[in-house]
């Protein structure tokens, strides 16, 4: 709201309004001043509305503003309520009503000016009813409402639209006569320069041998380049066609895939499911047709009849309102007395009323659920349309098939699993690579040591005369080690199996002994739980019935409260409206009394203060001003011929000087060209 007020104040302080407001002064404006500001903004959009609202009745002001706002296609905001509340707020100068209107008007001032201008020619004129009381006016109005006249009227409006569009296009095209003349003059200058260059080049080329042959070759080169460009364009068009063919093939494949999926879905669908779905839809549609829609139609007709009655009734005064309020209070008291009497006399009827209330609540819930179902269906249809559009856009961009629903969920879960496995494997690979590097280094060191020891051992065996002894010894040790490892594994597995069986038996016995007392305690608790559930169901049924009755009473009281609040607000608004009319009438009466007093008073100073005297003085001043202007016009007409001759002589003098300037520039250019040719001849002589 603060941003809205800042924008309004900023726009009002600029041209053409120049109000010099700030946020505090604008927010503290009186209702009449705020209405005057709104009228000034409307007058800027359409000059017909430049009036002082103090000289106008409030009904006429509201009617005029609503008319122009309707032409400008303004829609009241949701917080302002319906049209009647908007009209009342506009009449009393309410800030929550006028501030959004000002914000909307100041946002689109230029666009609304154009719309208001067009409305003068495109909105049909309506003759007021007070003018139709005259017979001649009524006959002319009937003639104007004939079919031929209306057709001509509409034809003229269409012609105006076409001409206005053409005018706007010409304005937006940016082509003006001055610009075209400038372009033509610039093109002529360029043409002169090009002809001069061509003449210079011809003079230079004439001295060269075989210049005709060279010109022919240059012409052929230019033709070949043009042909090359044409062939490249054809090549590009063929590539584009190939791409379109590929896209069409991809679309065909996607359509075939969709057709295949739809056929599979139709094949997998069971007739029982389809019948059940159709039965549900038939029940829902039959409920809508037989119960919901007729009730809504009946309510609409009832409200329409009430509104027609209200419209047809004459305007009500304060006495009528007080009588109606007293009658409403009497009828309400009688209704309360009858309800109390009925509740005291017939207890069976109270039970029936409770069941009726429950039935009404259930019917209301049923209606709400049906509305929710209808809204959900519409939302599902809209979402399906959006999904189809998004799928088409994605297919046009990517060309690949898009997963849906459960397939996408499975794909995401599979990706998550793969990502976790990938992270674990990558960590293991990093650890293994580090360990592999360490082990490779240790292996190299050990191999080096082993080779050194083997060389020493072989030298010692050769010295002692027992070469090959170490190899046989290592083979025997390796075989014995393998045999011992196999024996140890067999014994270890048998011991583990026996220990596992013993542990399982002991655990089973311990759990059985521990659960025995718990099972004994659980049996009576189960019986008690069944009894408590039965009691809970009974209490819950009683609670639901009592809650339904209280809910129905609360809804009735709430409706009664709402109706009373609406009546109170309507009475308050009418009270403020009447007070406003009263104040305006008192102000007008006071002004007329002051005017009569000033006009009748014998004092000349007092008479001068009257509006009539002021207007007469203004008329006399304007007449004197008109005489002076006519005299000046006469003098201007007398001296107009001489002045125009002098202007023509000055223009001819300017043209003559411009021609001399051009001749001087041409002579200077020719001298420079001759100097260049002379320098070129000297260079050729030197060569």
């Amino acid at each position: 709201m603060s941003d809205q007020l800042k924008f309004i104040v900023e726009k009002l302080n600029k041209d053409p309004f120049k109000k010099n407001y700030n946020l505090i002064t604008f927010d503290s404006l009186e209702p009449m001043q705020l209405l005057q500001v709104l009228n000034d903004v409307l007058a800027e959009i359409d000059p017909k509305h430049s009036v002082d609202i103090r000289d106008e009745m409030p009904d006429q002001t509201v009617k005029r503003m609503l008319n122009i706002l309707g032409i400008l296609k303004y829609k009241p905001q949701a917080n302002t309520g319906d049209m009647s509340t908007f009209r009342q707020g506009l009449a009393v100068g309410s800030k929550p009503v006028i501030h959004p209107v000002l914000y909307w008007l100041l946002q689109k001032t230029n666009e609304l000016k154009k719309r208001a201008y067009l409305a003068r020619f495109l909105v049909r004129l309506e003759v007021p009813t007070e003018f139709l009381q005259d017979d001649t006016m009524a006959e002319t109005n009937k003639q104007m409402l004939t079919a031929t006249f209306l057709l001509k009227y509409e034809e003229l409006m269409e012609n105006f639209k076409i001409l206005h569009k053409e005018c706007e296009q010409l304005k937006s095209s940016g082509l003006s006569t001055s610009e075209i003349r400038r372009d033509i003059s610039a093109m002529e200058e360029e043409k002169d320069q090009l002809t001069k260059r061509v003449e210079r080049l011809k003079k230079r080329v004439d001295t060269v041998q075989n210049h005709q042959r060279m010109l022919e070759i240059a012409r052929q080169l230019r033709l070949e380049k043009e042909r090359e460009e044409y062939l490249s364009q054809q090549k590009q068009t063929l590539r584009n066609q190939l791409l379109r063919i590929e896209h069409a093939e991809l679309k065909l494949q996607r359509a075939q895939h969709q057709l295949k999926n739809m056929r599979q879905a139709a094949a997998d669908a069971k007739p029982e499911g389809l019948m059940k779905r159709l039965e549900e839809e038939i029940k829902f549609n039959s409920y809508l047709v037989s119960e919901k829609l007729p009730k809504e139609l009946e309510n609409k007709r009832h409200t329409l009849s009430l509104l027609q009655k209200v419209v047809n009734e004459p305007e009500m005064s304060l006495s009528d309102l007080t009588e109606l309020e007293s009658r409403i209070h009497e009828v309400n008291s009688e209704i309360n007395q009858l309800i109390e009497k009925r509740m005291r006399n017939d207890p069976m009827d109270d039970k029936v009323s409770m069941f009726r209330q429950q039935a009404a609540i259930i019917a209301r819930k049923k209606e709400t659920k049906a509305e929710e179902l209808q809204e959900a269906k519409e939302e599902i249809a809209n979402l399906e349309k959006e999904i189809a559009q998004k799928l088409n856009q994605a297919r046009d961009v990517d060309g690949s098939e898009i997963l849906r629903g459960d397939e996408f969920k499975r794909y995401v879960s599979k990706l998550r699993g793969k990502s976790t496995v990938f992270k674990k494997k990558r960590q293991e690979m990093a650890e293994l690579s580090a360990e592999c590097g360490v082990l490779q280094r240790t292996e190299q060191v050990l191999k080096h040591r082993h080779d050194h020891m083997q060389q020493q051992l072989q030298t010692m065996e050769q010295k002692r005369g027992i070469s090959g002894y170490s190899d046989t010894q290592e083979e025997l040790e390796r075989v014995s080690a393998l045999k011992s490892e196999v024996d140890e594994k067999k014994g270890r597995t048998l011991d583990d199996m026996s220990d596992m069986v013993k542990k399982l038996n002991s655990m089973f016995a311990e759990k059985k002994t521990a659960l025995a007392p718990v099972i004994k305690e659980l049996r009576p608790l189960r019986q008690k739980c069944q009894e408590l559930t039965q009691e809970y169901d009974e209490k819950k049924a009683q609670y639901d019935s009592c809650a339904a009755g209280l809910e129905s009473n609360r809804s009735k009281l709430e409706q009664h409260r709402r109706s009373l609040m609406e009546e109170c607000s309507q009475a308050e608004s009418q009270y403020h409206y009447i007070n406003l009319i009263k104040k305006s009438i008192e102000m007008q009466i006071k002004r007329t009394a002051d005017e009569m007093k000033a006009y009748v008073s014998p004092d000349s100073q007092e008479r001068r203060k009257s509006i009539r005297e002021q207007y007469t003085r203004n008329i006399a001043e304007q007449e004197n001003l008109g005489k002076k202007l006519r005299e000046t016009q006469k003098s201007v007409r007398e001296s107009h011929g001489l002045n125009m001759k002098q202007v023509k002589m000055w223009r001819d003098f300017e043209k003559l000087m411009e021609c001399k300037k051009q001749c001087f520039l041409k002579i200077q250019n020719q001298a420079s060209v001759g100097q260049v040719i002379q320098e070129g001849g000297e260079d050729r002589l030197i060569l």
Side-chain angles (χ1 to χ4, degrees):
M1 196 70 184
S2 61
D3 296 334
Q4 192 177 17
L5 283 175
K6 285 179 183 176
F7 179 79
I8 293 168
V9 171
E10 184 180 356
K11 286 289 184 181
L12 290 174
N13 290 334
K14 291 181 181 178
D15 288 335
F17 303 107
K18 293 182 180 180
K19 294 290 185 180
N20 294 324
Y21 287 143
N22 55 26
L23 290 173
I24 297 169
T25 55
F26 181 73
D27 194 46
S28 61
L29 287 175
E30 294 294 327
M32 292 294 288
Q33 294 174 347
L34 195 60
L35 276 172
Q36 185 62 48
V37 171
L38 177 60
N39 192 74
D40 293 340
V41 175
L42 291 173
E44 178 62 27
I45 293 168
D46 191 357
K48 289 193 298 183
H49 297 273
S50 60
V51 295
D52 191 353
I53 61 171
R54 292 175 296 181
D55 299 334
E56 196 177 25
M57 292 295 289
D59 293 337
Q60 294 177 356
T61 305
V62 172
K63 187 177 179 181
R64 180 170 54 79
M65 288 184 178
L66 287 173
N67 188 15
I68 185 66
L69 289 174
I71 289 169
L72 298 176
K73 296 181 181 179
Y74 173 72
K75 294 180 181 179
Q77 294 183 354
N79 57 5
T80 57
D82 55 357
M83 200 64 196
S84 61
T85 54
F86 178 75
R87 186 193 294 269
Q88 290 174 2
L90 196 64
V92 300
S94 177
K95 292 179 182 178
V97 174
I98 293 176
H99 285 175
V101 178
L102 282 172
Y103 181 71
W104 184 78
L105 292 172
L106 293 170
Q107 265 185 332
K108 306 176 179 181
T109 308
N110 295 325
E111 183 183 348
L112 295 174
K113 280 182 182 179
K114 184 177 176 183
R115 192 176 291 173
Y117 168 72
L118 293 173
R120 276 188 274 169
F121 305 101
L122 298 179
V123 175
R124 290 185 179 179
L125 296 173
E126 293 183 1
V127 182
T129 54
E130 57 265 19
F131 292 111
L132 292 175
Q133 293 177 1
D134 191 5
D135 296 333
T136 56
M137 288 293 292
E139 288 177 0
T140 52
N141 189 27
K142 285 181 182 179
Q143 291 175 2
M144 288 170 67
L145 291 175
T146 56
T148 55
F149 184 81
L150 290 173
L151 285 171
K152 287 181 182 178
Y153 192 46
E154 290 176 357
E155 187 177 353
L156 289 171
M157 289 168 75
E158 292 295 328
N159 291 330
F160 175 76
K161 288 180 184 177
I162 294 164
L163 292 171
H164 182 71
K165 285 180 182 177
E166 290 177 357
C167 180
E168 290 294 325
Q169 288 175 1
L170 290 171
K171 284 181 181 178
S172 61
S173 63
L175 295 173
S176 61
T177 55
S178 59
E179 290 179 357
I180 292 166
R181 286 174 183 170
R182 282 199 296 270
D183 293 337
I184 290 167
S185 61
M187 289 168 73
E188 286 178 352
E189 290 177 0
E190 288 178 1
K191 183 182 176 183
D192 294 335
Q193 291 175 3
L194 288 171
T195 52
K196 289 177 183 178
R197 285 183 185 178
V198 169
E199 288 174 358
R200 280 186 225 150
L201 290 171
K202 279 182 179 180
K203 288 177 182 178
R204 288 183 184 179
V205 169
D206 288 337
T207 57
V208 180
Q209 294 179 356
N210 297 325
H211 65 277
Q212 293 292 336
R213 176 68 178 164
M214 293 173 73
L215 287 171
E216 188 66 28
I217 291 166
R219 192 179 293 109
Q220 289 178 2
L221 178 63
R222 181 173 56 79
L223 292 171
E224 291 296 328
K225 282 184 177 179
E226 289 177 355
R227 188 182 176 192
E228 185 181 359
E229 289 178 358
Y230 177 70
L231 291 172
S232 64
Q233 288 177 359
Q234 281 188 344
K235 187 178 179 182
Q236 189 64 34
T237 53
L238 290 171
R239 282 181 181 173
N240 293 329
Q241 287 178 0
L242 285 171
L243 288 172
R244 288 174 186 169
I245 290 165
E246 289 177 358
H247 283 302
E249 288 177 353
L250 288 171
K251 285 183 180 179
L252 180 62
Q253 289 177 2
R254 287 198 296 269
Q256 288 176 354
H257 186 65
Q258 287 180 357
L259 181 62
K260 187 177 178 182
N261 291 332
M262 289 173 72
R263 283 177 179 172
Q264 287 178 358
D268 294 336
K270 293 181 180 180
E272 291 85 2
L274 292 171
M275 289 294 292
K276 189 175 181 182
R277 198 181 305 159
L278 288 170
E279 286 176 357
E280 289 177 356
E281 289 182 358
I282 289 164
K283 285 180 182 178
F284 177 70
N285 291 325
S286 62
Y287 168 71
L288 288 176
V289 172
S290 61
E291 296 183 13
K292 189 172 182 295
L293 293 175
K295 285 182 181 178
E296 290 181 356
L297 185 62
E298 189 65 30
N299 290 328
K300 296 287 184 185
R301 286 175 179 169
H302 184 63
T303 52
L304 181 63
S305 64
L306 290 175
L307 290 171
Q308 285 178 352
K309 286 181 182 178
V310 170
V311 169
N312 294 325
E313 285 181 358
E315 292 184 358
M316 301 175 72
S317 61
L318 286 172
S319 60
D320 296 333
L321 286 171
T322 52
E323 287 179 3
L324 282 173
E325 286 177 355
S326 62
R327 283 178 63 190
I328 288 165
H329 287 303
E330 289 175 0
V331 171
N332 287 328
S333 61
E334 288 177 2
I335 289 166
N336 292 325
Q337 289 175 3
L338 290 171
I339 290 167
E340 290 176 359
K341 188 176 180 181
R342 185 180 178 186
M343 290 172 71
R344 289 172 188 168
N345 293 334
D346 197 357
M348 292 299 292
D349 200 5
D350 291 339
K351 292 180 181 179
V352 174
S353 65
M354 185 176 69
F355 288 117
R356 284 176 184 166
Q357 290 170 0
Q358 290 178 0
I361 292 165
I362 291 165
R364 201 178 301 118
K365 286 181 179 179
K366 190 175 179 182
E367 289 178 357
T368 53
K369 292 295 179 185
E371 290 175 356
E372 289 175 359
L373 181 61
Q374 190 71 22
E375 291 175 356
K377 282 186 175 180
E378 291 176 357
E379 189 175 358
I380 287 165
N382 293 326
L383 290 172
E384 285 178 353
K385 287 181 182 178
E386 289 181 2
I387 289 165
Q389 290 176 0
K390 298 290 183 184
L391 287 172
N392 291 327
Q393 290 175 2
R395 285 170 185 166
D396 292 335
V397 172
D398 192 8
S400 60
E401 189 65 31
I402 296 170
L403 299 175
R404 296 183 182 177
D406 297 333
E407 293 179 359
F408 182 72
K409 289 179 182 178
R410 285 197 293 271
Y411 177 69
V412 170
S413 62
K414 195 185 289 183
L415 276 178
R416 286 175 182 167
K418 286 182 179 180
S419 64
T420 53
V421 172
F422 172 72
K423 288 176 183 177
K424 288 180 182 178
K425 297 293 182 185
R426 187 172 62 184
Q427 190 176 2
E428 290 176 1
M429 283 178 67
E431 293 174 356
L432 289 170
S433 62
E435 191 175 356
C436 180
V438 174
L439 291 172
Q440 284 177 357
R441 178 62 183 160
T442 53
E443 185 183 4
Q444 289 176 1
V445 173
L446 290 171
K447 278 183 179 179
H448 184 67
R449 288 180 183 177
H450 182 263
D451 293 336
H452 184 66
M453 293 294 291
Q454 285 290 330
Q455 288 176 2
Q456 288 180 358
L457 185 61
Q458 286 175 3
T459 53
M460 288 178 71
E461 285 177 355
Q462 286 176 1
K463 285 179 182 179
R464 299 293 175 90
I466 51 172
S467 60
Y469 176 75
S470 60
D471 294 334
T472 55
Q473 186 69 28
E474 285 179 0
E475 188 69 25
L476 288 170
E477 287 177 357
R478 190 173 64 79
V479 171
S480 63
L482 288 171
K483 185 176 179 301
S484 62
E485 285 178 1
V486 171
D487 293 336
E488 285 179 1
K489 283 182 181 179
K490 286 181 180 179
R492 206 180 297 133
T493 51
L494 290 170
D495 293 336
D496 291 338
M497 288 174 70
S498 62
D499 291 337
M500 185 72 73
V501 171
K502 287 178 182 178
K503 283 181 182 179
L504 289 170
N505 289 326
S506 62
M507 287 172 67
F508 184 71
E510 287 175 0
K511 296 288 183 185
K512 195 172 182 181
T513 54
L515 288 171
V518 176
I519 291 167
K520 288 180 182 178
E521 292 177 358
L522 187 63
R523 286 171 184 169
L525 289 173
R526 282 180 180 171
Q527 293 178 357
K528 191 173 182 181
C529 178
Q530 290 177 358
E531 293 174 358
L532 289 172
T533 51
Q534 289 177 359
E535 188 176 357
Y536 169 74
D537 292 334
E538 292 174 358
K539 297 290 184 182
K540 189 179 179 183
Q542 292 176 3
Y543 170 76
D544 290 336
S545 63
C546 183
L550 292 172
E551 181 68 23
S552 64
N553 291 328
R554 190 190 67 79
S555 63
K556 284 183 179 179
L557 292 171
E558 186 69 24
Q559 289 177 359
H560 186 59
R561 186 187 68 81
R562 285 177 186 169
S563 63
L564 291 174
M565 289 293 288
E566 288 176 358
E567 290 174 1
C568 182
S569 63
Q570 288 177 1
E572 284 179 357
S573 63
Q574 195 165 8
Y575 169 73
H576 291 304
Y577 178 65
I578 290 166
N579 277 335
L580 188 65
I581 293 170
K582 181 183 174 185
K583 287 179 182 178
S584 65
I585 291 167
E586 287 176 355
M587 289 293 292
Q588 289 177 2
I589 291 167
K590 187 177 178 183
R591 286 175 66 189
T592 53
D594 292 336
E595 180 68 19
M596 290 295 295
K597 188 176 180 182
Y599 184 69
V600 175
S601 67
D603 193 2
S604 60
Q605 295 293 331
E606 288 291 331
R607 284 185 182 176
R608 286 182 182 178
K609 291 180 182 178
S610 65
I611 296 169
R612 184 172 179 179
E613 292 293 330
Q614 290 176 7
Y615 277 132
T616 53
R617 283 200 300 274
N618 289 330
I619 289 164
E621 288 175 359
Q622 293 297 321
E623 285 178 354
N624 293 326
L625 183 62
K627 287 178 182 178
K628 290 179 181 179
L629 289 172
R630 281 194 292 273
E631 289 175 358
T632 54
Q633 185 181 7
K634 185 178 179 182
S635 63
V636 167
R637 282 179 180 174
E638 289 174 354
S639 61
H640 178 69
L642 296 172
N643 291 331
M644 288 302 292
K645 285 180 182 179
Q646 193 172 3
V647 169
K648 188 178 179 183
M649 290 169 69
W650 274 109
R651 284 177 182 169
D652 293 337
F653 179 70
E654 284 180 356
K655 287 180 182 179
L656 182 62
M657 296 303 292
E658 185 68 26
C659 185
K660 286 184 178 182
K661 181 182 175 183
Q662 294 293 331
C663 292
F664 177 73
L665 291 173
K666 283 181 182 180
I667 292 164
Q668 196 173 3
N669 288 329
Q670 286 175 3
S672 62
V673 169
Q675 189 178 359
V676 170
I677 292 167
Q678 189 176 1
E679 289 175 357
E682 289 175 358
D683 293 336
R684 280 199 293 275
L685 286 170
I686 291 165
L687 290 170

